Amino acid sequence: MLRATQDIAVAHGLEGFSVDEVARRSGVAKSTIYRHFGTGDELLLAAMGELVDAVPDADTGSLLGDLTLIMTQFVAIATQPSIRRLFTSVLNRSLDNDDFAALQEELVTERKAPMRRALQRGMARGEIDPEIDLELASTIVQGPFVARVLHERGSFRQGEVERIVELMVKAMAP
Amino acid sequence: MLRATQDIAVAHGLEGFSVDEVARRSGVAKSTIYRHFGTGDELLLAAMGELVDAVPDADTGSLLGDLTLIMTQFVAIATQPSIRRLFTSVLNRSLDNDDFAALQEELVTERKAPMRRALQRGMARGEIDPEIDLELASTIVQGPFVARVLHERGSFRQGEVERIVELMVKAMAP
DNA sequence: CGATACCGATACGGTTCCGTAGCAGTATGG
DNA sequence: CCATACTGCTACGGAACCGTATCGGTATCG
């Protein structure tokens, strides 16, 4: 059931999900679904919770290297239509539903964790102005990528990721 | 009808919209709605199209001033829950529907126009590295704000807008 | 006055959901 | 072997949509 739910959500977003559809795809009877998950939303949340995976740390030794690596990975993932589909619909539903809001926050937090550590290391090395709040800094670094991918539904040309990261590093320099 | 549609969309997002609901609110018979707009989506698109208004230009004489003004306005608008609600649901639907994708692109383009002009003036004054692509630059400047508001569903503290703009100006400097 | 055009009210058929209920089959375990 | 627990199948009632159709009323214009 969880698997079928994930498949649907990835392919068609949360809107494509319905208990009937899960029953159809998984071959599991609807009654069984309701026995395990009291309601459709609970199944959906459980399935989505499984998709939140920890992002491995990236430590190349330089701030520029770390951020480039992190954002390259981010772009590789976030430009996939299915991922964009999923994230956008979670974001959309999070405005009405606190449970989905929590899920969305978890996704964002998990995604930002390695960035935060990279920034900490960079600050320790003196590559970042010590006045800068690291929470703000991570928002700033991710900002252009989030805006391009989510907001403008665009992609990136060759070398563009690196160029943007360079500019952000320059912005945060002491 | 358009008015009722806009009210619904602003309050509950595109998901809250239905032809029946518009009929209820507006006092207009459903048959009349279908006579004027062949389908529900056409009504919705027409109503949303009316909400796309030109953003006035901002010319304070300095790049920092212009961008601060523009982004302050952006934040004032985009942090309103109803606007966020609306934009997020348009964004969500734009992944399935080309008409809504066009609408969403129009919204983004319109919103970015004054920023682009401000950047052009800034570059003419030598405040921006001439190597930088202005399209990319506007994405970069807006990025942190878009990320904070849409992606992280957050707001801004006192003086934070100015601080972010300063950093972005620094990033783009020659 | 009368044709034409527009509108409101209402109902309908069809689809897709939701969550529940009843009933029969199978597996497990004391 | 038999009770207990799970499961599948099927059907149901209820709700919300969609888009269409019918029909009586009004208003505008020649």
Side-chain angles (χ1 to χ4, degrees), chain A residues 40-67:
Chain A
D41 269 15
E42 286 182 43
L43 166 57
L44 190 49
L45 283 163
M48 293 303 98
E50 284 198 341
L51 294 184
V52 183
D53 46 352
V55 182
D57 218 348
D59 190 350
T60 66
S62 81
L63 180 61
L64 190 65
D66 285 0
L67 295 183

Side-chain angles (χ1 to χ4, degrees), chain A residues 12 15 84-85 87-89 91-92 94-96 101 104-105 108 112 129 132-133 135-136 139-140 142-144 146-148 150-153 157 160 163-164 167-168 170-174, chain B residues 12 15 84-85 87-89 91-92 94-96 101 104-105 108 112 129 132-133 135-136 139-140 142-144 146-148 150-153 157 160 163-164 167-168 170-174:
Chain A
H12 309 292
E15 291 75 24
R84 200 154 52 178
R85 189 83 208 65
F87 189 85
T88 304
S89 61
L91 182 60
N92 188 41
S94 74
L95 298 181
D96 300 321
Q104 199 263 347
E105 177 144 355
V108 170
K112 273 173 78 171
D129 186 337
I132 292 181
D133 174 36
E135 177 62 26
L136 180 62
T139 299
I140 286 176
Q142 281 204 339
V146 170
R148 175 67 70 84
L150 260 66
H151 192 71
E152 305 174 1
R153 310 201 353 267
R157 286 191 296 276
E160 207 164 15
R163 207 154 53 236
I164 295 173
L167 291 174
M168 293 301 108
K170 179 179 168 192
M172 297 185 295
Chain B
H12 309 292
E15 291 76 23
R84 200 153 54 177
R85 187 85 209 63
F87 189 85
T88 305
S89 61
L91 183 59
N92 188 40
S94 74
L95 298 182
D96 299 321
Q104 199 263 348
E105 177 145 352
V108 170
K112 274 173 78 171
D129 186 338
I132 293 181
D133 174 35
E135 178 62 25
L136 180 62
T139 299
I140 285 176
Q142 281 203 338
V146 170
R148 176 66 70 83
L150 260 65
H151 192 70
E152 305 174 2
R153 308 199 356 266
R157 286 191 295 275
E160 206 164 17
R163 206 153 55 236
I164 295 172
L167 290 174
M168 293 300 108
K170 180 179 168 193
M172 297 184 296

Side-chain angles (χ1 to χ4, degrees), chain B residues 26-41:
Chain B
S26 63
V28 168
K30 223 168 61 151
S31 37
T32 306
I33 296 176
Y34 278 104
R35 275 186 212 114
H36 284 267
F37 307 91
T39 177
D41 269 15

Side-chain angles (χ1 to χ4, degrees), chain B residues 13-134:
Chain B
L14 301 189
E15 291 76 23
F17 165 84
S18 80
V19 177
D20 290 271
E21 183 61 26
V22 171
R24 244 172 313 225
R25 290 205 190 201
S26 63
V28 168
K30 223 168 61 151
S31 37
T32 306
I33 296 176
Y34 278 104
R35 275 186 212 114
H36 284 267
F37 307 91
T39 177
D41 269 15
E42 287 183 43
L43 166 57
L44 190 49
L45 283 163
M48 293 303 97
E50 284 197 341
L51 294 183
V52 183
D53 46 352
V55 181
D57 218 347
D59 190 350
T60 66
S62 81
L63 180 61
L64 190 65
D66 285 0
L67 295 183
T68 302
L69 180 57
I70 289 170
M71 294 321 300
T72 301
Q73 289 174 346
F74 172 82
V75 167
I77 293 173
T79 51
Q80 292 173 27
S82 57
I83 300 294
R84 200 153 54 177
R85 187 85 209 63
L86 183 57
F87 189 85
T88 305
S89 61
V90 170
L91 183 59
N92 188 40
R93 191 167 295 200
S94 74
L95 298 182
D96 299 321
N97 185 311
D98 288 345
D99 292 328
F100 284 97
L103 168 65
Q104 199 263 348
E105 177 145 352
E106 196 182 352
L107 283 168
V108 170
T109 303
E110 199 55 53
R111 171 66 36 202
K112 274 173 78 171
M115 155 97 57
R116 195 172 205 148
R117 288 191 288 272
L119 292 172
Q120 268 168 346
R121 291 192 299 267
M123 186 174 281
R125 282 189 297 257
E127 299 180 84
I128 298 179
D129 186 338
E131 293 295 313
I132 293 181
D133 174 35
L134 288 187

Side-chain angles (χ1 to χ4, degrees), chain A residues 11-173:
Chain A
H12 309 292
L14 300 190
E15 291 75 24
F17 165 84
S18 80
V19 178
D20 291 272
E21 183 61 26
V22 172
R24 245 172 311 221
R25 291 205 189 201
S26 64
V28 169
K30 223 168 63 153
S31 38
T32 305
I33 296 176
Y34 279 104
R35 277 185 211 113
H36 284 268
F37 307 91
T39 177
D41 269 15
E42 286 182 43
L43 166 57
L44 190 49
L45 283 163
M48 293 303 98
E50 284 198 341
L51 294 184
V52 183
D53 46 352
V55 182
D57 218 348
D59 190 350
T60 66
S62 81
L63 180 61
L64 190 65
D66 285 0
L67 295 183
T68 302
L69 181 56
I70 289 170
M71 295 320 300
T72 301
Q73 288 174 346
F74 172 81
V75 167
I77 292 172
T79 50
Q80 291 173 28
S82 58
I83 300 294
R84 200 154 52 178
R85 189 83 208 65
L86 183 57
F87 189 85
T88 304
S89 61
V90 171
L91 182 60
N92 188 41
R93 193 168 294 198
S94 74
L95 298 181
D96 300 321
N97 185 311
D98 288 344
D99 292 329
F100 284 96
L103 168 65
Q104 199 263 347
E105 177 144 355
E106 196 182 352
L107 283 168
V108 170
T109 303
E110 198 55 53
R111 173 54 50 192
K112 273 173 78 171
M115 156 97 56
R116 195 173 207 146
R117 289 192 287 271
L119 291 171
Q120 267 167 347
R121 291 192 298 268
M123 186 174 279
R125 280 190 298 258
E127 298 180 85
I128 298 179
D129 186 337
E131 294 293 313
I132 292 181
D133 174 36
L134 288 186
E135 177 62 26
L136 180 62
S138 70
T139 299
I140 286 176
V141 175
Q142 281 204 339
F145 300 94
V146 170
R148 175 67 70 84
V149 175
L150 260 66
H151 192 71
E152 305 174 1
R153 310 201 353 267
S155 55
F156 293 88
R157 286 191 296 276
Q158 180 71 21
E160 207 164 15
V161 172
E162 289 80 354
R163 207 154 53 236
I164 295 173
V165 171
E166 284 172 18
L167 291 174
M168 293 301 108
V169 170
K170 179 179 168 192
M172 297 185 295

